[in-house]
Amino acid sequence: MSLLVAFQMDPIGAVNINADSTFRIAEEAQARGHRLFYYTPDRLAFDTGRVTARGWPLTVRREPGNHFTLGPEQVLDLADADVVWLRQDPPFDMGYITTTHILDMIHPKTLVVNDPFWVRNYPEKLLVLQFQDLTPPTMVARDLATLRDFRARHGDVILKPLYGNGGAGVFKLRPDDGNLASLHELFAGINREPLIMQKFLPAVAAGDKRVILVDGEPVGAINRVPQKGETRSNMHVGGRPEKIALSDRDREICAAIGPLLREKGQIFVGIDVIGDWLTEINVTSPTGIQELERFDGINVAAGIWEAIEARRA
């Protein structure tokens, strides 16, 4: 079964072919005989009842500095594609949200991965709020006095943008830290969105575990260890990936959230676990496939494609 697969993603020339999950997914699709098409989100359009993308047929190869070839530019009616991958990185802003509304118009006849309706309704830092027994104390608020009250009750806290990614804008604040008001003022000057505040988990010093789920089932994990003197463990900001096994608690968390993810068409998901606590459920553009494949010797990308091919069959 050969599928026409379109990738809506950030510019392919800048990807790190040894770490980027989208590249690995495309590489595996090509190896399975699927045809690839690539476009950036700004080239998605709704045109008189048709959802189109101006982009290029794509060939990928694992050669640093020469990792892709584009065919002639063309406009593809995405209703003619079998699969569209929604893979641009956040921020989860109105531009991102608009692409999910447009892609809704072709799904599920064209399978959009992950399901754009539920990507829009389940952003990473909000879906976890449905699982209070699995998460550390968490607040979503914009009011400074309310945030101060939360910190007074919980001591050391993490403050971060509600719709950020990659560890950007993440701050650890002690109970006596005088920067909360200044940070609140800074964020308020950028947008009108609430902030998220969570009780700080000292276990992050040992790592922030990224667990990969495929169609609601855990397939493995990597541990991301922060640099010395750093709170954030994201690999975008220097976190070091390490091999780690799934714990009983990881499996308990996945058993609780997996059925919902599967029901809502979230085929490729990465959750973040610190110690025994779930902190994020990443559905927009999760990463970690290549590190997990190297550590555990399993073909995660193949498992993802098996789930997709089963739906297309």
Side-chain angles (χ1 to χ4, degrees):
M1 172 177 55
S2 177
L3 303 175
L4 176 56
V5 181
F7 285 88
Q8 177 175 299
M9 59 182 287
D10 298 316
I12 193 169
V15 304
N16 178 350
I17 66 171
N18 294 314
D20 189 83
S21 290
T22 307
F23 181 85
R24 179 70 190 98
I25 291 166
E27 182 182 50
E28 180 65 24
Q30 184 173 278
R32 300 170 83 86
H34 303 320
R35 294 166 292 144
L36 310 183
F37 184 84
Y38 151 72
Y39 68 97
T40 51
D42 57 304
R43 289 171 165 249
L44 177 70
F46 177 83
D47 182 359
T48 322
R50 298 166 61 234
V51 175
T52 66
R54 183 177 296 274
W56 306 266
L58 170 68
T59 303
V60 296
R61 66 187 70 84
R62 194 163 283 272
E63 296 178 15
N66 184 37
H67 59 277
F68 70 99
T69 299
L70 301 181
E73 183 179 284
Q74 63 188 71
V75 176
L76 176 65
D77 187 330
L78 292 180
D80 294 333
D82 297 293
V83 179
V84 172
W85 272 94
L86 175 58
R87 284 294 300 176
Q88 75 264 26
D89 285 340
F92 192 74
D93 56 14
M94 287 308 300
Y96 196 112
I97 289 169
T98 299
T99 69
T100 68
H101 282 289
I102 293 174
L103 292 175
D104 262 345
M105 298 178 185
I106 57 168
H107 180 80
K109 179 180 181 296
T110 295
L111 178 64
V112 182
V113 183
N114 289 321
D115 183 322
F117 181 92
W118 294 108
V119 166
R120 184 170 65 248
N121 282 22
Y122 285 163
E124 359 273 46
K125 298 177 182 70
L126 289 178
L127 179 53
V128 293
L129 305 182
Q130 297 190 29
F131 301 97
Q132 288 294 296
D133 57 327
L134 304 178
T135 62
T138 301
M139 167 172 280
V140 175
R142 184 173 174 84
D143 174 63
L144 178 58
T146 303
L147 293 166
R148 279 176 167 156
D149 178 67
F150 181 91
R151 182 176 62 165
R153 285 184 280 124
H154 294 289
D156 289 357
V157 295
I158 293 293
L159 180 72
K160 52 189 174 182
L162 187 57
Y163 297 116
N165 73 302
V170 177
F171 295 88
K172 177 188 175 186
L173 298 174
R174 300 183 306 275
D176 60 347
D177 195 311
N179 290 308
L180 177 55
S182 294
L183 288 172
H184 180 270
E185 181 179 314
L186 175 66
F187 285 123
I190 296 171
N191 57 52
R192 296 183 295 173
E193 297 163 1
L195 299 169
I196 185 166
M197 185 176 275
Q198 283 184 327
K199 180 178 175 63
F200 175 70
L201 300 173
V204 73
D208 179 348
K209 191 180 295 185
R210 165 58 56 88
V211 180
I212 301 296
L213 295 93
V214 176
D215 214 14
E217 296 293 332
V219 297
I222 60 171
N223 196 38
R224 301 169 299 175
V225 181
Q227 294 186 49
K228 185 177 181 179
E230 175 66 80
T231 299
R232 303 169 300 171
S233 57
N234 309 71
M235 289 184 286
H236 284 90
V237 292
R240 183 181 74 253
E242 292 182 342
K243 180 180 174 64
I244 197 167
L246 290 167
S247 68
D248 290 342
R249 175 60 169 173
D250 298 332
R251 296 185 185 280
E252 178 185 348
I253 290 170
C254 292
I257 68 175
L260 178 65
L261 297 175
R262 185 165 49 251
E263 176 191 346
K264 304 305 184 185
Q266 304 305 293
I267 293 174
F268 173 29
V269 174
I271 67 171
D272 296 340
V273 179
I274 299 176
D276 289 333
W277 299 104
L278 173 68
T279 60
E280 291 189 13
I281 303 175
N282 298 276
V283 300
T284 52
S285 186
T287 61
I289 287 180
Q290 297 211 47
E291 292 81 5
L292 180 56
E293 290 186 339
R294 283 194 290 270
F295 289 145
D296 288 7
I298 57 175
N299 191 335
V300 180
I304 292 171
W305 277 108
E306 287 164 8
I308 291 171
E309 290 163 358
R311 281 171 166 76
R312 286 291 74 184

